[in-house]
Amino acid sequence: MNFKLVKGIPERIPDYCEVFLDSKLYDAYFSEEGVLPALLGKGVASGCLYIAMSSQDVPVGVMYMTMDGMAGLPYLNLLGVRKQYRGMGIGTDLIRVFIGTAEAQGYPNMFIMTSKFNVRAKNLYQSMGFQPQCLLPDVMHKGVSEWLFMRPASNRGW
């Protein structure tokens, strides 16, 4: 699907939150009122929140990435695609933006974490050259284990 990538703006945070509705990610981490808007607001404030916008000006994907995340290396903090747009390649394209940004800036490695229950995301990340390093219990939320993935910048296996 074609989309326009834009930086997030404070006025649209409620629209960006809608991208995560009807997802296990939302249920596990963001169902408590105010948590998701606060995280997205932090991404907007840092200039690191990117939005995939449809031709109808609807946010269809959200990506929060930082280049000084895990151990001072690129880290994909958050990725989500609106339910009716999942499976159309939007998440893949957003991850390519993350990889391209990290590689263009010369970083040696980049990181992503995903919940153990999110098998679809795990498979996507692995197909794009990210390799699981370890499974971390309770690292982000009690009762939820996270896979930590690393991808060397020189790996172009996707």
Side-chain angles (χ1 to χ4, degrees):
M1 177 187 170
N2 291 330
F3 61 82
K4 180 171 73 170
L5 189 65
V6 300
K7 285 205 173 191
I9 57 173
E11 301 81 11
R12 299 286 309 258
I13 287 176
D15 297 331
Y16 308 152
C17 288
E18 291 179 10
V19 168
F20 296 93
L21 298 178
D22 296 319
S23 71
K24 290 181 182 179
L25 182 69
Y26 181 86
D27 294 341
Y29 293 105
F30 304 122
S31 59
E32 185 179 324
E33 188 172 336
V35 173
L36 183 56
L39 179 61
L40 296 175
K42 183 178 175 184
V44 168
S46 67
C48 298
L49 189 73
Y50 296 86
I51 312 301
M53 299 294 289
S54 74
S55 58
Q56 293 81 32
D57 197 41
V58 173
V60 296
V62 172
M63 176 175 64
Y64 178 9
M65 65 175 178
T66 55
M67 293 296 114
D68 63 350
M70 179 110 16
L73 295 169
Y75 178 67
L76 187 63
N77 301 54
L78 183 64
L79 180 72
V81 176
R82 191 181 289 264
K83 185 177 183 177
Q84 59 266 41
Y85 294 92
R86 293 178 193 149
M88 296 180 170
I90 295 167
T92 300
D93 287 345
L94 290 172
I95 295 167
R96 284 186 177 133
V97 169
F98 171 63
I99 292 168
T101 302
E103 288 182 342
Q105 293 183 26
Y107 287 100
N109 296 300
M110 58 202 80
F111 295 90
I112 294 177
M113 276 199 299
T114 191
S115 303
K116 183 179 177 184
F117 62 74
N118 199 342
V119 175
R120 189 172 178 181
K122 183 178 184 240
N123 292 337
L124 173 61
Y125 300 151
Q126 286 183 282
S127 76
M128 297 185 78
F130 287 88
Q131 294 302 312
Q133 302 300 302
C134 60
L135 185 62
L136 303 166
D138 303 327
V139 69
M140 304 291 287
H141 196 289
K142 187 164 179 59
V144 181
S145 295
E146 299 286 332
W147 282 106
L148 174 64
F149 289 86
M150 183 181 80
R151 181 185 191 279
S154 61
N155 181 351
R156 298 191 179 269
W158 50 274

